[in-house]
Short mmCIF file of all heavy atoms in Angstrom, two decimals:
data_model
loop_
_atom_site.label_atom_id
_atom_site.label_comp_id
_atom_site.label_asym_id
_atom_site.label_seq_id
_atom_site.Cartn_x
_atom_site.Cartn_y
_atom_site.Cartn_z
N GLN A 1 33.55 100.68 18.57
CA GLN A 1 34.26 100.23 19.77
C GLN A 1 33.91 101.08 20.98
O GLN A 1 33.76 100.54 22.10
CB GLN A 1 35.76 100.15 19.50
CG GLN A 1 36.14 99.07 18.45
CD GLN A 1 37.58 99.18 18.12
OE1 GLN A 1 38.20 100.26 18.16
NE2 GLN A 1 38.10 98.13 17.50
N LYS A 2 33.89 102.36 20.77
CA LYS A 2 33.57 103.30 21.86
C LYS A 2 32.21 103.07 22.38
O LYS A 2 31.98 103.07 23.63
CB LYS A 2 33.80 104.74 21.38
CG LYS A 2 33.56 105.78 22.51
CD LYS A 2 33.81 107.15 21.95
CE LYS A 2 33.66 108.25 23.04
NZ LYS A 2 33.79 109.63 22.62
N LEU A 3 31.23 102.92 21.53
CA LEU A 3 29.93 102.63 21.94
C LEU A 3 29.80 101.33 22.79
O LEU A 3 29.13 101.30 23.81
CB LEU A 3 28.97 102.45 20.73
CG LEU A 3 27.54 101.99 20.96
CD1 LEU A 3 26.76 103.16 21.74
CD2 LEU A 3 26.79 101.77 19.64
N ILE A 4 30.50 100.32 22.30
CA ILE A 4 30.52 99.02 23.05
C ILE A 4 31.16 99.22 24.40
O ILE A 4 30.69 98.61 25.35
CB ILE A 4 31.29 98.00 22.19
CG1 ILE A 4 30.45 97.59 20.93
CG2 ILE A 4 31.60 96.73 22.96
CD1 ILE A 4 31.20 96.81 19.92
N GLU A 5 32.21 100.02 24.53
CA GLU A 5 32.81 100.26 25.80
C GLU A 5 31.93 100.95 26.73
O GLU A 5 31.96 100.72 27.98
CB GLU A 5 34.11 101.08 25.62
CG GLU A 5 35.19 100.29 24.90
CD GLU A 5 36.35 101.21 24.43
OE1 GLU A 5 36.29 102.40 24.73
OE2 GLU A 5 37.29 100.65 23.76
N GLU A 6 30.98 101.81 26.29
CA GLU A 6 30.05 102.52 27.11
C GLU A 6 28.99 101.59 27.60
O GLU A 6 28.41 101.83 28.71
CB GLU A 6 29.47 103.68 26.34
CG GLU A 6 30.45 104.76 26.06
CD GLU A 6 29.78 105.81 25.12
OE1 GLU A 6 28.68 105.68 24.76
OE2 GLU A 6 30.45 106.81 24.87
N ILE A 7 28.65 100.57 26.87
CA ILE A 7 27.44 99.71 27.17
C ILE A 7 27.81 98.35 27.78
O ILE A 7 27.10 97.85 28.59
CB ILE A 7 26.57 99.61 25.85
CG1 ILE A 7 26.08 100.93 25.46
CG2 ILE A 7 25.53 98.57 26.08
CD1 ILE A 7 25.29 100.95 24.14
N CYS A 8 28.85 97.72 27.31
CA CYS A 8 29.18 96.39 27.60
C CYS A 8 30.18 96.27 28.76
O CYS A 8 31.05 97.11 28.87
CB CYS A 8 29.69 95.61 26.41
SG CYS A 8 28.56 95.53 25.01
N PRO A 9 30.03 95.26 29.53
CA PRO A 9 30.92 95.15 30.71
C PRO A 9 32.35 94.76 30.30
O PRO A 9 32.59 94.15 29.20
CB PRO A 9 30.38 93.95 31.47
CG PRO A 9 29.62 93.17 30.47
CD PRO A 9 29.11 94.13 29.55
N ALA A 10 33.29 95.23 31.05
CA ALA A 10 34.76 94.82 30.83
C ALA A 10 34.99 93.42 31.32
O ALA A 10 34.17 92.85 31.92
CB ALA A 10 35.62 95.89 31.60
N GLY A 11 36.22 92.93 30.90
CA GLY A 11 36.54 91.60 31.42
C GLY A 11 36.11 90.52 30.45
O GLY A 11 35.67 90.70 29.31
N SER A 12 36.23 89.27 30.99
CA SER A 12 35.96 88.06 30.13
C SER A 12 34.58 87.59 30.34
O SER A 12 33.82 88.03 31.34
CB SER A 12 36.98 87.04 30.45
OG SER A 12 36.75 86.46 31.70
N PHE A 13 34.13 86.58 29.60
CA PHE A 13 32.82 85.97 29.79
C PHE A 13 32.77 85.28 31.15
O PHE A 13 31.67 85.28 31.76
CB PHE A 13 32.59 84.92 28.69
CG PHE A 13 32.27 85.54 27.35
CD1 PHE A 13 33.35 86.06 26.56
CD2 PHE A 13 30.98 85.67 26.92
CE1 PHE A 13 33.04 86.68 25.31
CE2 PHE A 13 30.69 86.22 25.69
CZ PHE A 13 31.73 86.72 24.85
N ALA A 14 33.88 84.76 31.58
CA ALA A 14 33.90 84.07 32.91
C ALA A 14 33.64 85.03 34.03
O ALA A 14 33.30 84.56 35.11
CB ALA A 14 35.24 83.34 33.09
N ASP A 15 33.87 86.29 33.85
CA ASP A 15 33.68 87.28 34.99
C ASP A 15 32.23 87.73 35.07
O ASP A 15 31.87 88.35 36.11
CB ASP A 15 34.52 88.53 34.64
CG ASP A 15 35.98 88.28 34.67
OD1 ASP A 15 36.41 87.40 35.37
OD2 ASP A 15 36.73 88.94 33.82
N LEU A 16 31.39 87.40 34.16
CA LEU A 16 29.96 87.89 34.12
C LEU A 16 29.09 87.17 35.11
O LEU A 16 29.25 85.94 35.33
CB LEU A 16 29.39 87.70 32.77
CG LEU A 16 29.99 88.50 31.60
CD1 LEU A 16 29.39 88.15 30.23
CD2 LEU A 16 29.87 90.06 31.87
N PRO A 17 28.15 87.81 35.77
CA PRO A 17 27.22 87.18 36.62
C PRO A 17 26.06 86.38 35.95
O PRO A 17 25.40 85.58 36.54
CB PRO A 17 26.56 88.33 37.41
CG PRO A 17 26.67 89.56 36.44
CD PRO A 17 27.94 89.39 35.71
N GLN A 18 26.01 86.64 34.69
CA GLN A 18 24.99 85.90 33.80
C GLN A 18 25.66 85.26 32.65
O GLN A 18 26.55 85.85 32.06
CB GLN A 18 23.95 87.00 33.23
CG GLN A 18 23.14 86.54 32.06
CD GLN A 18 21.98 85.69 32.46
OE1 GLN A 18 21.15 86.08 33.22
NE2 GLN A 18 21.93 84.54 31.96
N ARG A 19 25.38 84.06 32.33
CA ARG A 19 25.96 83.34 31.28
C ARG A 19 25.60 83.99 29.93
O ARG A 19 24.41 84.31 29.63
CB ARG A 19 25.52 81.87 31.25
CG ARG A 19 26.41 81.08 30.19
CD ARG A 19 26.04 79.64 30.19
NE ARG A 19 26.67 78.91 29.10
CZ ARG A 19 26.22 77.90 28.46
NH1 ARG A 19 25.01 77.41 28.74
NH2 ARG A 19 26.94 77.33 27.49
N LEU A 20 26.60 84.25 29.10
CA LEU A 20 26.47 84.98 27.83
C LEU A 20 27.14 84.27 26.70
O LEU A 20 28.25 83.74 26.87
CB LEU A 20 27.05 86.45 27.92
CG LEU A 20 27.22 87.27 26.69
CD1 LEU A 20 25.80 87.67 26.19
CD2 LEU A 20 28.05 88.44 26.91
N LEU A 21 26.51 84.26 25.55
CA LEU A 21 27.06 83.72 24.32
C LEU A 21 27.00 84.80 23.23
O LEU A 21 25.93 85.38 23.02
CB LEU A 21 26.26 82.46 23.85
CG LEU A 21 26.19 81.25 24.79
CD1 LEU A 21 25.36 80.21 24.19
CD2 LEU A 21 27.65 80.73 25.15
N VAL A 22 28.10 85.00 22.58
CA VAL A 22 28.16 86.03 21.54
C VAL A 22 28.48 85.35 20.20
O VAL A 22 29.54 84.63 20.09
CB VAL A 22 29.17 87.13 21.86
CG1 VAL A 22 29.41 88.07 20.61
CG2 VAL A 22 28.66 87.94 23.05
N ASN A 23 27.63 85.49 19.24
CA ASN A 23 27.73 84.72 17.93
C ASN A 23 28.57 85.55 16.93
O ASN A 23 28.29 86.66 16.61
CB ASN A 23 26.37 84.48 17.42
CG ASN A 23 26.35 83.65 16.16
OD1 ASN A 23 27.15 82.74 16.00
ND2 ASN A 23 25.45 83.92 15.25
N THR A 24 29.63 84.89 16.38
CA THR A 24 30.45 85.52 15.31
C THR A 24 30.73 84.43 14.28
O THR A 24 30.38 83.24 14.44
CB THR A 24 31.78 86.06 15.86
OG1 THR A 24 32.59 84.90 16.25
CG2 THR A 24 31.58 86.93 17.12
N VAL A 25 31.45 84.85 13.24
CA VAL A 25 31.86 83.97 12.15
C VAL A 25 33.34 84.23 11.90
O VAL A 25 33.72 85.35 11.78
CB VAL A 25 31.12 84.15 10.88
CG1 VAL A 25 31.75 83.42 9.67
CG2 VAL A 25 29.68 83.64 11.03
#
């Protein structure tokens, strides 16, 4: 989680300047 916080943007998908899809199950 700490690594992800360092690398990935905060906020929701709607806040991003680029459309993003994250695949989970």
Side-chain angles (χ1 to χ4, degrees):
Q1 291 169 338
K2 184 178 179 182
L3 174 67
I4 291 169
E5 289 166 4
E6 293 174 357
I7 294 175
C8 298
S12 71
F13 286 79
D15 297 327
L16 296 174
Q18 162 81 57
R19 188 179 175 212
L20 170 69
L21 300 177
V22 170
N23 184 38
T24 70
V25 168

